[in-house]
Amino acid sequence: MTIDLREGAPAISVLMPTYGHARFIPAAIASLLAQERADWELIVVDDGSPDDTAAVVAPYLADPRISYERLAHNVGLGAALNVALARARAPRIAYLPSDDLYWPDHLASLAARLDAEPAAALAYSGVRHHYNRRADGAVAGHSLQLVQVMHRRSEARWLGRTELVTDDLGRMMWDRLLATGPAVATGRVTCEWVDHPEQLHKLLREPLGGLNAYRQRFAVAHPLRFHSSVGNAIDEVEHYRRARERPPTPRARDGLTILLVGELAYNADRVLALEERGHSLYGLWMADPHWYNTVGPLPFGHVRDLPRDDWRRMIRALRPDVIYALLNWQAVPFAREVLAANTGVPFVWHFKEGPFICREKGTWPALMDLHTRADGLVYSSPEMREWFATVIPASAASIPSRVVDGDLPRREWFTGEPSPRLSQTDGAIHTVVPGRPIGLHPHHVAELAAEDVHLHFYGDFTHGQWREWIDRARALAPRHLHLHAHVDQRRWTREFSRYDAGWLHFFASGNDGDIARADWDDLNIPARAATLAAAGLPMIQRANDGARVATQSLARRLGVGVFARDMADLAAQLRDTARTQAIREQVWRVRDEFTFDRHADDLLAFLGEVARTRPRASA
């Protein structure tokens, strides 16, 4: 039976937040219009959509139950929902995201369940998801979704973007509601959480989404507190406060105007070392970044962005002295597009990770263009430069180049005093891996445990990716594997100096000294090297005598490595406390080599040299 109370106040306020979903909206509203209950109001809040959402919604406004409000600019899901809550008139609140669907008995069954349970704070339905799967409640790995829930009107409000960005709707609202009463289930599937590539949780969750994908989609210029359901907690507000609040550096007499192109990956605030030397920085960023591909608007400020939709004209107007394009394989297509535009601006290409992925992804021709047509090249390791010499034309050897690791952090993060080591308390050996335990297998953890060597594994997101590895290693060594949350740069020295040594990796090289046979592990210097250096830790890796391995060359040159054949050999070396202490002291002496600031002047001299010797074409 249809219940129709159009003449009076609505019994249910349905909130529809929307952004860029104009093509989904007709189906969503049609599913609401088909409800058995008609005593609802629909409040559509358009969160600054870039598409024709207003025109799509307009015909539905003839129904007096439907209202529409467009926000002047995007404010985020929580804030948009709070705008809708402020306009809601009914005692019950339901949600219909513009890309989801109700089935005809959805509102009726939820309302009946709330009526039957006066103490309940909210009711939820079952849901169809991924087009042919069903869940009686929350979909595995997710919170209850908006489309599933109806709750009583309350004073509670959604967390907004300025407080926290997350896909965890429990933290955003449900947990506060549930503090006032239980959740009750209808036991019926009556709605669909529609699966498509632009769902908000996909944008938020690493590895394909994440903070940088979110920032770019919504052009968020301010720093964020961000924590997706599968990622590390990130507090940019406090992390970058000092950098943002300081005034811009006055331009040096010989200051360059540098256009950063592509993405900045890890430790992106390193580029502030260029601005702090009196150079002007602008940014032109790749689209669709992965979680670790840092793009603008940059949360630490002092870099002005050029719009992507008119970047050719903007480059001509800016007339930078040099384009500094970087860094990983995802940026290769866009960097090559900028190079191919023949802007007349000298172009420097800085590449880190990784040439083999470019072959796999089909962007090898673009990478070759960058390495043969750029005016200057920056390689992440000497071995990387030598390897490229084996795969690019000999004519490219005339392109000037430098070696600078692309992921080096700022010197600012290498402050603080070391902490007492755990081994000084319990007599055992404690090692740490910040990030992926590359080359370490569960049986290695067991072998370490047999030697009373502990392994401390850091990173919430990485734990999620390595869950099976963790389970197997824990089964073999339950007392010697320890999991810890992600630690940002501010705490590197204090946190990681508690350990006796840190893992770079433990792989066996197969190149036998022939650089042409090197693979990515041979050529790469992992970002964790700087993390370990900040804490003064000896860097553990497998002994690859006779092979060309970038980390091995670096660690031997600086005297910071522990090279082991196996776990027993490693334990024996780490028990030599005098030798380990000597390496630790050496790491402390040379750790500035692992900061970007140490290499910034040389890089700037190189950029200036390229700018002078390959002058801009006239506008």
Side-chain angles (χ1 to χ4, degrees):
M1 180 179 67
T2 298
I3 302 173
D4 191 345
L5 299 176
R6 294 193 189 190
E7 298 303 320
I12 303 167
S13 292
V14 179
L15 314 186
M16 178 182 284
T18 186
Y19 177 84
H21 285 167
R23 297 300 172 262
F24 288 95
I25 288 174
I29 295 181
S31 75
L32 177 60
L33 292 171
Q35 288 299 290
E36 293 175 358
R37 292 190 66 143
D39 54 342
W40 48 259
E41 65 172 349
L42 173 65
I43 303 166
V44 181
V45 176
D46 180 352
D47 194 10
S49 292
D51 59 12
D52 58 343
T53 290
V56 169
V57 173
Y60 298 100
L61 300 181
D63 188 325
R65 297 172 296 175
I66 300 176
S67 63
Y68 170 82
E69 180 173 347
R70 176 179 170 81
L71 304 182
H73 56 86
N74 183 270
V75 295
L77 175 64
L81 285 170
N82 288 337
V83 170
L85 278 174
R87 294 186 58 167
R89 297 181 293 149
R92 302 183 188 90
I93 305 296
Y95 300 89
L96 179 56
S98 55
D99 53 346
D100 292 337
L101 299 170
Y102 286 167
W103 295 359
D105 57 343
H106 182 69
L107 293 179
S109 59
L110 285 170
R113 194 72 181 94
L114 280 180
D115 290 344
E117 299 283 349
L122 65 82
Y124 61 91
S125 73
V127 62
R128 188 170 79 181
H129 62 99
H130 295 87
Y131 79 83
N132 65 357
R133 304 179 202 171
R134 299 188 179 207
D136 292 333
V139 176
H142 298 273
S143 313
L144 286 171
Q145 292 305 304
L146 289 169
V147 70
Q148 296 177 261
V149 171
M150 180 183 289
H151 62 82
R152 304 184 197 281
R153 186 185 180 93
S154 77
E155 296 302 315
R157 290 296 180 266
W158 288 85
L159 288 184
R161 179 185 285 162
T162 57
E163 298 164 288
L164 178 70
V165 174
T166 181
D167 60 315
D168 185 345
L169 300 183
R171 295 179 68 182
M172 289 185 70
M173 173 65 104
W174 306 150
D175 292 350
R176 290 192 299 285
L177 291 177
L178 293 175
T180 68
V184 293
T186 66
R188 300 164 64 183
V189 173
T190 57
C191 62
E192 182 172 359
W193 185 33
V194 174
D195 181 52
H196 63 92
E198 294 187 358
Q199 286 177 285
L200 184 59
H201 76 279
K202 294 179 181 177
L203 181 69
L204 289 169
R205 287 187 171 196
E206 303 164 2
L208 297 181
L211 185 150
N212 292 300
Y214 179 88
R215 184 191 309 285
Q216 185 178 85
R217 172 76 65 83
F218 300 115
V220 182
H222 59 79
L224 295 170
R225 293 184 175 94
F226 186 96
H227 195 183
S228 78
S229 298
V230 298
N232 301 323
I234 301 169
D235 185 354
E236 295 182 326
V237 178
E238 291 305 319
H239 192 78
Y240 295 124
R241 185 182 298 280
R242 184 165 62 177
R244 288 184 64 86
E245 292 180 351
R246 70 165 173 81
T249 307
R251 187 175 174 93
R253 186 180 63 177
D254 59 348
L256 297 170
T257 297
I258 302 169
L259 176 60
L260 306 168
V261 166
E263 55 91 12
L264 299 176
Y266 298 114
N267 302 310
D269 60 325
R270 66 185 178 274
V271 299
L272 290 177
L274 308 180
E275 189 270 347
E276 289 165 350
R277 287 159 171 76
H279 304 274
S280 301
L281 302 181
Y282 292 79
L284 177 60
W285 310 110
M286 60 173 276
D288 302 321
H290 287 193
W291 65 279
Y292 64 91
N293 298 133
T294 304
V295 296
L298 295 172
F300 41 82
H302 306 289
V303 179
R304 286 168 283 185
D305 287 355
L306 301 189
R308 273 184 54 88
D309 57 357
D310 196 18
W311 61 263
R312 291 171 177 83
R313 185 182 67 83
M314 293 301 296
I315 290 177
R316 290 195 299 271
L318 177 64
R319 291 179 57 81
D321 296 297
V322 64
I323 290 173
Y324 178 30
L326 60 184
L327 182 66
N328 290 313
W329 62 269
Q330 296 97 332
V332 165
F334 184 58
R336 193 263 181 192
E337 182 181 351
V338 174
L339 174 67
N342 296 318
T343 63
V345 180
F347 187 101
V348 172
W349 169 237
H350 188 167
F351 186 53
K352 176 145 187 176
E353 181 180 320
F356 306 99
I357 302 177
C358 288
R359 285 174 172 170
E360 177 187 353
K361 300 294 183 180
T363 57
W364 181 257
L367 185 65
M368 287 296 95
D369 279 354
L370 289 166
H371 278 271
T372 56
R373 295 180 54 195
D375 301 305
L377 297 168
V378 183
Y379 296 92
S380 61
S381 70
E383 288 74 14
M384 179 79 87
R385 178 160 59 181
E386 290 183 49
W387 182 86
F388 265 102
T390 71
V391 297
I392 59 178
S395 59
S398 62
I399 300 175
S401 66
R402 289 291 189 278
V403 173
V404 179
D405 185 349
D407 284 324
L408 294 174
R410 298 190 70 201
R411 182 179 286 144
E412 176 181 357
W413 305 124
F414 280 45
T415 57
E417 295 299 317
S419 300
R421 293 194 303 281
L422 297 175
S423 58
Q424 294 171 320
T425 300
D426 65 9
I429 297 169
H430 292 266
T431 65
V432 63
V433 54
R436 297 171 296 166
I438 298 173
L440 277 171
H441 300 289
H443 69 85
H444 289 135
V445 182
E447 292 164 8
L448 290 171
E451 301 286 346
D452 200 19
V453 177
H454 293 255
L455 180 66
H456 295 257
F457 180 8
Y458 279 75
D460 319 62
F461 169 61
T462 313
H463 295 162
Q465 290 190 311
W466 290 67
R467 178 54 54 194
E468 181 180 354
W469 185 97
I470 290 169
D471 291 342
R472 291 171 57 202
R474 272 188 162 164
L476 294 171
R479 296 187 303 106
H480 286 76
L481 176 65
H482 312 276
L483 305 183
H484 303 268
H486 171 72
V487 172
D488 70 22
Q489 294 100 320
R490 292 172 296 174
R491 294 173 51 210
W492 280 353
T493 300
R494 183 171 71 253
E495 180 71 20
F496 295 124
S497 59
R498 301 188 303 143
Y499 302 108
D500 297 291
W503 294 86
L504 278 181
H505 48 57
F506 204 75
F507 71 89
S509 175
N511 66 51
D512 294 328
D514 182 358
I515 196 67
R517 292 164 51 192
D519 61 20
W520 177 237
D521 289 330
D522 294 320
L523 302 178
N524 183 37
I525 298 176
R528 70 178 65 87
T531 305
L532 301 177
L537 293 188
M539 301 181 192
I540 302 168
Q541 55 188 293
R542 185 169 181 142
N544 278 300
D545 297 336
R548 298 297 307 281
V549 178
T551 53
Q552 181 171 262
S553 300
L554 178 66
R556 291 199 187 282
R557 177 172 63 84
L558 297 178
V560 298
V562 176
F563 304 92
R565 298 183 303 276
D566 52 36
M567 301 305 140
D569 180 30
L570 173 65
Q573 292 188 55
L574 294 181
R575 288 193 195 100
D576 186 343
T577 55
R579 180 175 180 273
T580 304
Q581 179 61 23
I583 299 173
R584 187 177 297 111
E585 292 171 358
Q586 174 64 8
V587 178
W588 202 263
R589 281 191 291 269
V590 302
R591 67 183 190 146
D592 196 53
E593 289 287 332
F594 293 87
T595 71
F596 183 75
D597 302 68
R598 168 68 178 81
H599 306 276
D601 289 332
D602 183 58
L603 177 62
L604 284 166
F606 179 63
L607 296 176
E609 174 189 332
V610 173
R612 288 189 301 272
T613 58
R614 288 166 170 78
R616 296 173 299 187
S618 58

